[in-house]
Amino acid sequence: MPISLSLRPPSNLSFLLPSFSSLVPYVSRRNESSARRTTKRLRTKPDPSFTSSIPPSQVNDHIVFNPPSSAPSPYHTPPVFLPANDPRRTLLAQSHQHANPYDQPDKRLPPIVHKHKPYEKKYHLREKEIEEIRRLRSEDPYKWTRAKLAEKFECSQFFVGMVAEAPSEKKAAEQRMIEEIQEKWGRRRRYAREDRGKRRELWGKDL
Amino acid sequence: MKGLHLLRWSGSVLSPRTRPCCFIHKYPSQYRPQPFNILLRFQSSAAVPIRTISEPEDDTEPQNPAHYTLLPSPPPSRALSSARLSALHARLVLPPRLPLESLARCLVDPSADTNPNFNNASLSILGYDLLGYYTSEAIVCRYPRLPTEVTFAAMSAYCGSKTLAAVTREWGVEVAAAPGGEVDPGVLQCTRQEAGNASVNGTGTQFKDLPKVAEDPSTRPNPEQQRRGWSRGATSKTVYDDDFGDEIERTETDYAERPELRQEDAQRKAKRGVTLEVASAGFVRALMGAVYLHAGKRAAYNFFKAHILSRHLDVSKLFEFRQPTRDLSKLCAREGFESPVARILSETGRKSRHPVFVVGVFAGKDKLGEGSGGSLDEARIRAAIGALKGWYLYSPLEVRVPSEATEGKPWEPVLVDGGEVFV
């Protein structure tokens, strides 16, 4: 009827207006045809640690203990650090859960961080060789550096530094050289180095 | 060790004021011009030797309330009428044996009243020793391997001045703007020190810029070297310094040799004033001493447990290591373990901007510690720190402290081993 048509609000006639649907971002909607596809994506299986060892009769009658992975507590003393008379020593030795996994013969230890292995100390240098190290170092400290002497006498650089310290002139000259290099640094490099030092301090505080 | 029956002999030590008859203390006329020659004051609790003063005929107090202003601190007789004091007594669930007058005396700092019969100096010395004893035994028995510096840090975290000042605030004890006889006895009485940036007598100079008064002689044998930063090692701190590893200005031996020094020091402090922190700490210590004297050891220990030991302290956060990997290898060499080796337990994103490495430190086949970090070095160092903390934070299963040894079971010594690592 013409009268009832005129009473219709103009908003109902939106199909007469130009379409703006291309400006609205596409949002996926679930409808009858796509429901199975989209709900299947939400159906995830629980972690096997929640269910594996539990018989189906006890499913509603147990406690799930599955803590998230986190850093170990510092209050947990490793078994080797326990004193001989501590009762935890025997308790941990009897427990299967807390047994050391690397004790089994087929279980290999994880890879080492640094490639060089901890070396065995040889203790082979006698008084004579040490005198020789000192002599070489005092003769020409620029030629006979710690590294060279360590290589020659097959000991560690730390040991060379311990028995024959570099003369103070050489130390001062090296310090001057380092300062000269550092003076050439720009702002960004200097800040980056300072920040690195600060971060390193935080490691020591375990922050 | 046999328990002392405190209450049996405490009558000579404790306040005569707690019993009905009081006697009057002759107050020296040093404070202000006074309307009458002898100002009557009533003896508060006296841990110091009681002076021989003739007993008064009756228990009276100044008739005119204006006379209260002549006293340096409120008279003990007013303690019973203070609502603040009763509220504080009830709030802290103090033992009923502790009278309100003693609680009032604990609130009078030596800077407010130099008279040792009325201030809390003697009680706070006792309380300091008790707090130090209970706290140190709790820490040392619970963590027998703790390094000395960390023990000192834990001591001051439990019962140092800062903590005790916080405890005073938490108890709701307020501070009087200025001490005096007319002030409510339920507030802390102390003369406040001038702020460092306050000007001296209206001149331009500030207090912090004034040349320092020659401080007390040090108890250390070589004060010259120490000024140059020598001989302040952790071991010497246990010998020469106080419970928190801080230097002691004057020792009890000095006071024993020259007892007049104590009075002098108190007067000097009163002139200079004290900080709020020092006065608050003195109050808590004095209250501890008062609880011990009035109610005995058990009550004092309960008080300590309720207010000091119950505070949460994460001891593992007090550590700071400079070279943890070196310390750990020294430790392993000393204890006869294999030398520690860092091994990669897991990693992710090695070639990315934010890699994560999880590294474990192993001695032979035993894992000592584990740490994670953004670089292999960081993870390795954190793992070494974890291993060192695992060693230092060892805690026995059953902890018994020496103060419990008198009750029934015989004392078993706590663990003593090689101590901390020295390089």
Side-chain angles (χ1 to χ4, degrees):
Chain A
M1 278 192 233
I3 299 160
S4 64
L5 265 176
S6 63
L7 286 174
R8 289 171 99 188
S11 62
N12 283 3
L13 303 172
S14 62
F15 56 89
L16 293 176
L17 298 168
S19 166
F20 290 103
S21 61
S22 61
L23 300 178
V24 179
Y26 172 77
V27 180
S28 73
R29 294 255 176 79
R30 229 171 16 174
N31 53 40
E32 202 177 340
S33 64
S34 64
R36 191 180 51 82
R37 265 204 315 274
T38 45
T39 48
K40 197 173 131 192
R41 203 176 289 158
L42 300 172
R43 241 182 271 137
T44 49
K45 274 189 181 174
D47 192 86
S49 63
F50 280 92
T51 49
S52 62
S53 62
I54 299 149
S57 59
Q58 295 176 11
V59 163
N60 295 326
D61 191 22
H62 67 282
I63 294 167
V64 175
F65 179 67
N66 191 22
S69 57
S70 56
S73 162
Y75 292 100
H76 175 253
T77 313
V80 262
F81 283 168
L82 291 170
N85 59 353
D86 196 282
R88 274 168 285 187
R89 236 171 206 277
T90 48
L91 289 174
L92 286 173
Q94 290 162 2
S95 145
H96 289 290
Q97 196 190 346
H98 295 97
N100 186 359
Y102 301 107
D103 271 343
Q104 292 156 7
D106 55 333
K107 179 87 176 172
R108 291 179 61 192
L109 282 165
I112 295 177
V113 170
H114 290 292
K115 286 301 162 203
H116 58 267
K117 279 188 178 176
Y119 56 91
E120 282 291 312
K121 286 178 186 162
K122 288 194 265 185
Y123 299 106
H124 63 291
L125 296 182
R126 301 278 157 238
E127 192 68 32
K128 194 160 64 85
E129 283 98 356
I130 290 173
E131 282 301 320
E132 179 72 6
I133 292 175
R134 286 184 183 142
R135 193 183 61 76
L136 289 172
R137 189 95 196 224
S138 59
E139 263 179 16
D140 189 357
Y142 289 93
K143 184 190 170 194
W144 289 107
T145 57
R146 279 201 328 180
K148 292 256 177 63
L149 284 168
E151 199 181 340
K152 180 171 159 61
F153 289 93
E154 293 174 0
C155 61
S156 68
Q157 295 191 18
F158 177 72
F159 182 77
V160 176
M162 214 162 57
V163 298
E165 221 176 323
S168 53
E169 307 94 64
K170 198 207 167 199
K171 276 188 194 166
E174 280 183 347
Q175 186 63 34
R176 238 176 292 127
M177 209 171 69
I178 291 170
E179 277 166 12
E180 271 171 27
I181 292 169
Q182 287 180 347
E183 274 170 20
K184 287 176 199 157
W185 287 353
R187 185 178 57 88
R188 286 174 62 174
R189 174 169 296 204
R190 191 182 305 279
Y191 283 5
R193 296 278 177 142
E194 280 172 11
D195 286 353
R196 199 180 297 172
K198 282 177 193 165
R199 279 201 299 274
R200 229 190 154 92
E201 274 176 28
L202 289 184
W203 300 352
K205 289 177 188 166
D206 211 359
L207 287 173
Chain B
M1 199 170 150
K2 221 176 162 205
L4 297 175
H5 294 281
L6 256 183
L7 294 170
R8 206 173 288 167
W9 54 267
S10 62
S12 60
V13 181
L14 278 185
S15 71
R17 193 170 28 73
T18 52
R19 58 207 82 226
C21 177
C22 296
F23 56 88
I24 295 171
H25 169 66
K26 227 183 200 174
Y27 204 75
S29 55
Q30 62 187 14
Y31 284 95
R32 246 157 272 175
Q34 290 165 355
F36 41 87
N37 269 345
I38 300 163
L39 192 58
L40 301 185
R41 249 190 111 178
F42 303 103
Q43 179 75 329
S44 71
S45 64
V48 292
I50 293 159
R51 300 177 189 182
T52 49
I53 298 168
S54 60
E55 297 255 339
E57 285 81 24
D58 56 344
D59 187 359
T60 54
E61 54 184 70
Q63 294 301 315
N64 187 355
H67 294 164
Y68 283 137
T69 56
L70 302 171
L71 300 172
S73 63
S77 53
R78 280 184 56 211
L80 292 173
S81 58
S82 167
R84 279 169 191 271
L85 268 184
S86 305
L88 182 64
H89 196 287
R91 196 159 63 235
L92 301 186
V93 203
L94 292 172
R97 278 175 186 279
L98 181 78
L100 286 176
E101 289 91 338
S102 281
L103 183 58
R105 186 179 161 183
C106 293
L107 284 162
V108 180
D109 191 76
S111 66
D113 191 345
T114 50
N115 191 326
N117 289 345
F118 293 96
N119 65 28
N120 65 11
S122 51
L123 290 173
S124 105
I125 289 171
L126 176 64
Y128 174 86
D129 288 342
L130 283 171
L131 280 179
Y133 171 50
Y134 287 148
T135 315
S136 59
E137 73 173 6
I139 294 170
V140 170
C141 294
R142 197 154 157 227
Y143 300 110
R145 283 176 184 162
L146 221 53
T148 318
E149 290 286 354
V150 181
T151 313
F152 282 141
M155 282 290 289
S156 65
Y158 270 121
C159 62
S161 299
K162 276 201 174 61
T163 309
L164 296 187
V167 166
T168 312
R169 297 288 90 71
E170 285 161 18
W171 285 350
V173 176
E174 290 172 355
V175 191
E182 76 285 4
V183 181
D184 189 302
V187 292
L188 184 57
Q189 318 264 331
C190 65
T191 311
R192 300 282 290 273
Q193 198 174 17
E194 285 289 341
N197 56 1
S199 71
V200 183
N201 299 331
T203 57
T205 51
Q206 296 182 340
F207 270 98
K208 63 182 177 188
D209 299 331
L210 286 181
K212 287 224 167 125
V213 189
E215 284 297 321
D216 307 319
S218 167
T219 51
R220 289 179 159 265
N222 43 2
E224 277 307 312
Q225 288 179 353
Q226 173 211 322
R227 233 164 263 148
R228 279 186 272 158
W230 292 8
S231 107
R232 286 276 290 165
T235 323
S236 77
K237 285 182 187 178
T238 58
V239 178
Y240 295 119
D241 295 346
D242 67 358
D243 291 353
F244 315 112
D246 298 326
E247 206 173 322
I248 307 169
E249 292 181 341
R250 241 195 257 282
T251 54
E252 287 303 307
T253 332
D254 294 340
Y255 287 132
E257 282 170 7
R258 291 173 60 198
E260 74 275 9
L261 281 182
R262 196 188 291 276
Q263 187 76 9
E264 259 177 41
D265 280 358
Q267 275 174 2
R268 199 163 40 87
K269 271 186 190 150
K271 212 183 202 176
R272 208 164 50 185
V274 291
T275 55
L276 189 54
E277 188 183 301
V278 172
S280 310
F283 158 63
V284 180
R285 286 172 184 146
L287 188 54
M288 179 77 192
V291 169
Y292 181 78
L293 280 182
H294 282 283
K297 197 173 76 174
R298 180 70 66 86
Y301 192 70
N302 286 342
F303 179 79
F304 164 75
K305 269 211 298 204
H307 294 287
I308 307 293
L309 200 61
S310 63
R311 299 175 73 81
H312 174 72
L313 173 69
D314 192 356
V315 184
S316 72
K317 296 276 178 219
L318 302 177
F319 286 83
E320 184 180 356
F321 297 98
R322 300 246 163 74
Q323 293 205 28
T325 45
R326 186 187 63 178
D327 289 359
L328 183 63
S329 60
K330 284 278 169 194
L331 175 75
C332 288
R334 192 186 76 185
E335 298 297 322
F337 307 132
E338 286 179 46
S339 61
V341 181
R343 293 171 182 276
I344 304 172
L345 297 179
S346 67
E347 64 172 68
T348 174
R350 184 185 273 258
K351 297 271 170 80
S352 72
R353 194 174 185 281
H354 291 291
V356 175
F357 298 97
V358 180
V359 166
V361 183
F362 287 77
K365 288 182 174 176
D366 299 303
K367 192 168 80 174
L368 306 179
E370 191 182 311
S372 64
S375 66
L376 279 174
D377 253 3
E378 184 186 351
R380 191 169 57 93
I381 285 173
R382 284 187 189 276
I385 287 171
L388 282 173
K389 281 188 181 174
W391 171 265
Y392 285 135
L393 289 173
Y394 162 74
S395 182
L397 280 181
E398 284 181 23
V399 182
R400 277 190 76 214
V401 291
S403 65
E404 288 172 4
T406 49
E407 294 157 14
K409 280 195 282 182
W411 167 245
E412 286 169 20
V414 292
L415 172 86
V416 178
D417 64 0
E420 64 198 277
V421 180
F422 283 101
V423 182

